[in-house]
Amino acid sequence: MKAFDLAKEVYAALGVDVESALGRVNEIPVSIHCWQGDDVNGFENDSALDGGIAVTGHHPGRARNADELRSDLDEVWKLVPGPKRLNIHAIYAETGGKKVSRDELTIDHFSRWIDWAKSSGSGLDFNPTCFSHPLASEGFTVSSPDAGVRDFWIRHCIACREIAAAMGRILKNPCVTNFWFPDGFKDTPYDRLAARERLRGALDEIFEKEIPREYNLDAVESKLFGIGAESCTVGSHEFYMGYAVSRGKLLCLDAGHFHPTEVISDKISSCLLYLDEILLHVSRGVRWDSDHVVTLNDELLAIAQEIIRHGFDKRVHIGLDYFDGSIDRIAAWAVGGRNMRKALLQAALEPASLLRAAEESGDNARRLALLEECRTLPFAPVWEEFCRRCGVPGSFDWYAEIERYRKDVTSKR
Ligand code: RNT
Ligand code: ZN
């Protein structure tokens, strides 16, 4: 008997239907972030990464242009099973070598990305890029006290929303547009309120035009602190929770954007009592918001469990957000993408009725015992089968493709 069939029997004895878990997990898209491929560089090629985020490492083979990045993404698509979307930042515009100001970007600058999305059958998500730019160098963008700076970034965000809506319309698949601003104070401000009022006002201007939800969904991303913005981040969690609830926007929870003992898995159920939908930036902070490659750790499993246990499959949009330039970038992408899918599959294989019955019986030791036993259920053969059905190499095979591609492609860059 094959390992998969044995595993199916083990799960069936616990009341778990493996086939329906496989089917369910294959309906949940994961949005893969384009910026892992080139260290959040983009194609403007004249400004270094800033905004309080940082990539470390100089691994060779970084994608230097859009064609290389798309070729690398084709590899990632071959190695990560399940439905995928591509998440693009505005700095990945293709302007044909011409300098185009960020407030003048249009859908035409993304037409080749749309072609790629069509040919790979993936939806697109989008982000204005409000960092790595001379007008962001003072640490403030849309909440700047300087009206000229503020207006420039508001125009950029409005342009991005139009681009996103066009992507959604063309692909017949709503684009999730995430708004994150690095705005914050390095040292203790006297007036926190004024900056937050300016941010709220700017957002209201950006979102003034109604865009149908079948084309575009706006998300706003909070943060605790960034490098150079240690004392006060204008767009804090409370700020954006209030904004999203009052304006009917999606809230974006980034796993690295809270105090180290706070976890976003615990926030999902609260947020979804008050919001229709949320966006996740799945990331892994090590000691700070370091954006390490996502591993299959307890928090990743807990995030997936929250989605699966409560049937939030359509209300939680899953995006990845990490960047490691110290190792093979395509492998980094594949490890994180595969882990996200693994976590969803493991969550879908939980013996839900047993766990719920244990909790309802009040026997907390039984609940603890069951949860611990779940960790060693025969998950691996089910994962292998999922990969096989998706036409993606299994656990100990996929890295060979990384090595082949490195030899044939990235080592020649
Ligand atoms: C920064 C935010 C933001 C960025 C991307 C590149 O702390 O997490 O989401 O990582 O927009
Ligand atoms: Zn993020």
Side-chain angles (χ1 to χ4, degrees):
M1 205 181 199
K2 274 172 48 196
F4 174 63
D5 296 318
L6 281 171
K8 245 172 137 169
E9 282 185 9
V10 172
Y11 282 106
L14 300 172
V16 178
D17 180 351
V18 169
E19 288 299 334
S20 79
L22 288 167
R24 179 175 178 186
V25 163
N26 203 26
E27 297 276 303
I28 303 176
V30 172
S31 190
I32 309 273
H33 53 318
C34 79
W35 51 92
Q36 162 57 36
D38 74 336
D39 307 344
V40 208
N41 202 59
F43 310 132
E44 289 179 348
N45 286 327
D46 55 3
S47 45
L49 180 63
D50 73 3
I53 56 178
V55 182
T56 51
H58 299 93
H59 195 84
R62 173 160 76 103
R64 294 160 298 181
N65 54 53
D67 287 328
E68 289 182 353
L69 192 58
R70 278 189 285 268
S71 155
D72 294 357
L73 282 163
D74 287 334
E75 281 300 294
V76 178
W77 256 237
K78 277 189 218 164
L79 297 173
V80 176
K84 291 166 285 296
R85 307 173 58 82
L86 176 65
N87 197 4
I88 306 179
H89 243 283
I91 46 172
Y92 293 81
E94 289 174 89
T95 59
K98 265 200 0 230
K99 183 145 182 59
V100 176
S101 177
R102 287 192 203 171
D103 59 343
E104 282 165 7
L105 289 170
T106 69
I107 188 65
D108 297 340
H109 302 119
F110 295 89
S111 59
R112 296 191 62 205
W113 285 114
I114 291 174
D115 292 344
W116 184 87
K118 280 184 189 157
S119 68
S120 70
S122 334
L124 289 178
D125 295 317
F126 201 55
N127 307 257
T129 311
C130 302
F131 52 83
S132 306
H133 188 280
L135 288 181
S137 61
E138 297 296 317
F140 290 88
T141 63
V142 289
S143 76
S144 170
D146 179 329
V149 171
R150 215 161 56 229
D151 288 345
F152 172 80
W153 291 110
I154 290 171
R155 287 196 305 275
H156 171 58
C157 290
I158 290 173
C160 285
R161 251 179 123 229
E162 292 295 337
I163 293 165
M167 287 173 170
R169 184 168 36 76
I170 295 165
L171 296 172
K172 298 188 175 55
N173 188 335
C175 179
V176 178
T177 307
N178 181 54
F179 294 80
W180 171 70
F181 308 102
D183 299 33
F185 296 85
K186 180 182 172 84
D187 223 327
T188 317
Y190 171 73
D191 188 351
R192 294 162 195 258
L193 178 62
R196 290 186 166 134
E197 283 172 340
R198 286 194 296 270
L199 179 55
R200 183 182 61 177
L203 289 166
D204 284 347
E205 273 189 58
I206 292 165
F207 299 137
E208 198 173 300
K209 179 171 165 188
E210 285 281 335
I211 295 181
R213 288 176 81 85
E214 69 230 69
Y215 300 155
N216 177 65
L217 298 167
D218 301 303
V220 287
E221 182 179 8
S222 71
K223 189 163 176 170
L224 179 63
F225 82 95
I227 295 176
E230 288 85 357
S231 300
C232 170
T233 290
V234 183
S236 61
H237 177 59
E238 292 72 14
F239 176 92
Y240 278 125
M241 183 79 192
Y243 193 85
V245 169
S246 61
R247 307 305 199 259
K249 299 296 177 192
L250 276 69
L251 181 69
C252 172
L253 299 172
D254 183 309
H257 287 193
F258 295 88
H259 277 289
T261 65
E262 258 183 292
V263 281
I264 63 167
S265 55
D266 181 55
K267 300 179 188 295
I268 295 171
S269 52
S270 295
C271 293
L272 287 179
L273 282 179
Y274 302 102
L275 295 166
D276 291 339
E277 296 172 45
I278 59 172
L279 169 66
L280 301 183
H281 269 186
V282 181
S283 192
R284 178 169 58 105
V286 177
R287 302 187 188 280
W288 72 291
D289 179 27
S290 59
D291 291 297
H292 276 66
V293 178
V294 167
T295 54
L296 188 60
N297 58 15
D298 281 356
E299 172 58 1
L300 187 68
L301 286 168
I303 290 169
Q305 287 161 354
E306 286 300 312
I307 298 169
I308 297 288
R309 287 180 187 173
H310 308 302
F312 293 151
D313 308 30
K314 296 218 157 55
R315 293 176 64 195
V316 177
H317 300 259
I318 304 173
L320 303 178
D321 183 15
Y322 58 82
F323 18 95
D324 191 335
S326 75
I327 55 175
D328 186 296
R329 291 176 185 78
I330 299 158
W333 247 327
V335 168
R338 290 172 68 95
N339 281 336
M340 186 68 241
R341 185 67 60 191
K342 272 188 198 166
L344 289 166
L345 185 56
Q346 251 189 57
L349 290 166
E350 275 190 330
S353 45
L354 286 183
L355 288 164
R356 189 171 290 283
E359 181 151 294
E360 284 171 0
S361 77
D363 185 349
N364 293 346
R366 182 173 173 74
R367 179 184 62 193
L368 175 65
L370 271 175
L371 283 169
E372 288 306 298
E373 294 308 333
C374 287
R375 292 179 185 268
T376 48
L377 281 170
F379 171 70
V382 183
W383 169 250
E384 297 299 327
E385 178 65 11
F386 184 75
C387 290
R388 195 188 64 76
R389 291 186 190 180
C390 293
V392 160
S395 297
F396 292 92
D397 299 328
W398 68 269
Y399 206 81
E401 176 57 20
I402 293 282
E403 286 170 324
R404 182 203 64 79
Y405 190 72
R406 187 185 298 157
K407 182 164 156 284
D408 293 349
V409 182
T410 47
S411 66
K412 300 190 173 136
R413 289 183 183 158

